Amino acid sequence: MIEQYVRDLRDLDGTQVAAVGGKGAQLGGLSRIEGIRVPGGFCVTTDAFRRIMAQAPSIDDRLDQLSRLNPDDREAIRTLSAQIRRTIEGIAIPGDLAAAITRALARFGEHAAYAVRSSATAEDLPTASFAGQQDTYLNVVGPTAVLRHISRCWASLFTERAVTYRRRNGIDHRAVHMAVVVQQMVFPHAAGILFTADPVTGDRKAATVDAGFGLGEALVSGLVNPDVFTVRHGEVVAKAIGAKQRALHALPDGGTQEVAVDAQRQEQPALTDAQVVRLVQLGRRIEAHFGRPQDIEWCLADDGFQIVQSRPITTLYPIPEAGDQENHVYVSVGHGQMMTDPMKPLGLSMWQLTAMVPMHEAGGRLFVDVTRRLASPASRAGLLDVLGRGDPLVRDALETVLDRDDFVPSLPDAGPGGPPAGGAPAPVETDPALVTELIERSQASIAALERDIRTKSGPALFDFLLEAFAEHKRVLSDPLSLQAIMAGMEATWWLNDKLWEWLGEKNAADTLTLSAPDNVTSEMGLALLDVADVIRPHPEVVAFLQGVEDEGFLDELAKLAGGTEARDAIEAYLDRYGMRCVGEIDITRPRWRERPTTLVPVILDNVRNFEPGAAERRFEQGRQRAQKKEQDVLSRLRALPDGDRKADEAKRMIDRVRTFIGYREYPKYGIVSRYFLYKQALMKEAERLVQADVLPDKEDVFYLTFQELHDVVRSKEVDERLVEQRKEAFRSYHALTPPRVLTSDGEALTGAYRRDDVPAGALAGLPVSAGTVEGRARVILDMAEADLEAGDILVTPFTDPSWSPLFVGIAGLVTEVGGLMTHGAVIAREYGLPAVVGVERATRLIRDGQRIRVHGTDGYIEILS
């Protein structure tokens, strides 16, 4: 019976989290590492906790109440959790359990001092550290006091902060149980924390040590400014000695006391450099054992270092697997594609199979390895230029890496760096017929795919899809298509550069691109205004749509006056654009055709905020503004020295921009159209797997790669454990912020704007659509929850083409992610919306409802109220 309730730390390991909690399991694992000293002790298991909980049936009702509370209702949580804690602390520990604990204490001496520490089953895990959520008690002396503090630890599972943390992380209160670690007390000269990777930059080669005098709790609780040491390659490379005015010491009869540190000792280092290096060596051994960077609590007593805690650092961004020991530099794909959310495994693998360059997965996102291209001076210049025009923060982050002379190797220009990045394809004539031809080619290819894929199923479908992916890449790499895209982009850059040089006018091309023809994404936003025009005259339809929740609502519409016309208008819209959705580069995301309710709030906003005929008026107004701007620019140029030549060159470039810039959006439309056909075919296979009892849910296929799904279809067997692990990993990836640039050392680089033209207190970004606008900020994280009024400014992490229908109703745009030629920027210019993108942490620094001013020409945001 003793083993059921009390287990020696040395007998524990990572397989026993359910019995001894995260901390107990980690300490058991630590105890087994050669050369690592862990204070002796034992763990009171979760069986003991369950036995205590069973003695108070009233707790069950309170847990039900707790699970129904809003996580933001702090008062109710505080009251209810306090009642649960009082109940647990009031339960007498049964005699046989108390005797088992007392016998375990006797091994260390009747009056020894102990640390009594909570060890919850959802604590110190790879995906959620729960650091500081439950309680630790130091210098607890004697069996009576230890038993009392074990009860307190059990109760601490229901502190207000622990309850709120679980609610916010979607963890059921009943699913978490509490074990308690009881360890011999260490009375240290110094104590602190060791991170085996830099917790701020993510650099896995740098370890940081925080150190103070006395017990480590003073440092953990923020009582003192610690000494901070940085160690690289076995030597201290930086240190900052803190003024350690206070320390925490143990009292002879139990408990701890805060004491003042002698003035002459306050600024002496708590550790010597040699001790710091020795400690980091121990940390590397612990990291190697657990297989990932660790956050380690340590003590230094007379006879050396003892480790009292080690947990994974859960905030570090993972590193792509390279399979070698070389240095690598990776650039985020999501920042270029305006989708920085994590993708599910099927989405990742489908994008990898259809992309034009190799892509590497980390943290549920994709990255491109640019090391070779950075290594060759010729390709480096082109790469930095292209990436910098798109997103200056990416360029700055890459230059930060290049400034470290030893990280990126230097290859000769003739080396394997490949052709210079961004080398322009041969120019094409300014001929609108070229764009028409390209669109027709794409439509023909998609029609052939739609015709042929219908006849394929089972393993034959996967063979067919591999051929379809080859055609997909062939369409994407069509030289004429690339020439058309580059023609529009280069003409835009030329106009902005030259009109700034000649006329002193910033971003003049923004107005010149208004209402450019053949832009399938801006047409999509205007087309939804036309849908609103069909619906607006029918009050019954409008009222019905306001209450829509079920995806089958289109079938219900026909029963209402005007409902058939409304249904036909929405259906026609879905036929053209139903393959789109937020995060559309991830094939697993629900498309508008699959979830048409997503569009209903936007349609209703359009019904409310616009008059009939708004789409045509908007397009024509933009076209006229662009025409007027063209006349103004050309007449001013002609008045300059050598003005006729300058005006003729500018006219040629304006014609190029208006011919080709709209086509910039078409290849993505083609990709997403093909993706939806792939998805529909794969979901039919998933449905067959469910019918054959291979899978419980058809969406489980989202957690398999394309090849794994192929294997499952062939074998009719699936590794259910793998699917569950992938689901858990995907959930954890949401907490990670993907960097623009990532190195193989794990350093996550965001980049910075090196500018001195931004007013104090303003938020810097990239100007992508000219003009200045002031209005109410609407911070929107989910398009389906948008509730916009005319004149609002949309503030959001990123916008892909699916957000375009919202653009017709707003006055300005601010995003955290984006570049000069990403979709949000292109559409903002098409609609004449002042826009600033690449504004770091915009959705956190700007509050919903604040008045802000967007400087779309100069690239910054002022917060006015």
Side-chain angles (χ1 to χ4, degrees), residues 799-821:
T799 63
D800 59 14
S802 70
W803 287 72
S804 302
L806 293 184
F807 283 24
V808 298
I810 59 175
L813 174 70
V814 178
T815 68
E816 296 177 337
V817 173
L820 201 58
M821 285 297 166

Side-chain angles (χ1 to χ4, degrees), residues 41-236:
F42 58 90
C43 189
V44 181
T45 67
T46 53
D47 280 345
F49 170 77
R50 274 189 282 266
R51 189 168 160 192
I52 295 295
M53 293 288 277
Q55 289 184 234
S58 66
I59 290 177
D60 241 19
D61 296 337
R62 289 184 177 139
L63 287 181
D64 285 337
Q65 292 173 47
L66 208 52
S67 64
R68 288 193 294 269
L69 291 177
N70 183 319
D72 296 323
D73 189 350
R74 296 185 60 177
E75 190 55 47
I77 289 173
R78 186 178 300 128
T79 303
L80 205 48
S81 56
Q83 289 171 0
I84 294 170
R85 288 198 306 278
R86 277 197 300 275
T87 303
I88 293 170
E89 287 185 41
I91 297 169
I93 297 177
D96 61 327
L97 176 53
I101 293 168
T102 306
R103 276 197 297 277
L105 289 170
R107 291 200 349 252
F108 301 103
E110 188 71 17
H111 297 291
Y114 297 92
V116 181
R117 314 169 70 195
S118 310
S119 179
T121 53
E123 180 178 65
D124 295 345
L125 305 177
T127 55
S129 75
F130 279 73
Q133 296 310 313
Q134 281 90 36
D135 289 350
T136 288
Y137 301 98
L138 300 177
N139 199 30
V140 180
V141 177
T144 305
V146 168
L147 289 169
R148 186 169 70 251
H149 285 87
I150 287 171
S151 287
R152 285 188 177 178
C153 281
W154 287 329
S156 77
L157 191 62
F158 298 99
T159 60
E160 181 190 347
R161 66 180 181 272
V163 165
T164 304
Y165 188 95
R166 285 196 295 275
R167 286 284 284 135
R168 292 200 191 286
N169 283 276
I171 295 167
D172 181 359
H173 300 304
R174 283 190 175 81
V176 185
H177 300 110
M178 182 66 83
V180 182
V181 171
V182 180
Q183 279 179 288
Q184 281 185 289
M185 189 68 194
V186 179
F187 302 103
H189 311 306
I193 300 166
L194 157 64
F195 293 99
T196 64
D198 187 315
V200 178
T201 69
D203 187 348
R204 310 304 202 263
K205 299 276 177 71
T208 63
V209 174
D210 291 8
F213 296 123
L215 293 166
E217 281 301 294
L219 189 147
V220 173
S221 62
L223 187 64
V224 297
N225 290 326
D227 303 335
V228 181
F229 302 86
T230 303
V231 175
R232 273 182 92 85
H233 305 305
E235 62 176 300
V236 176

Side-chain angles (χ1 to χ4, degrees), residues 372-418:
R372 301 304 283 278
R373 287 159 76 181
L374 285 177
S376 164
S379 59
R380 179 190 309 151
L383 180 74
L384 291 174
D385 184 52
V386 168
L387 292 178
R389 281 187 181 274
D391 186 341
L393 294 178
V394 170
R395 179 177 186 138
D396 184 77
L398 289 174
E399 287 175 335
T400 302
V401 177
L402 288 167
D403 285 345
R404 298 168 194 153
D405 296 334
D406 58 340
F407 194 82
V408 176
S410 204
L411 296 173
D413 282 350

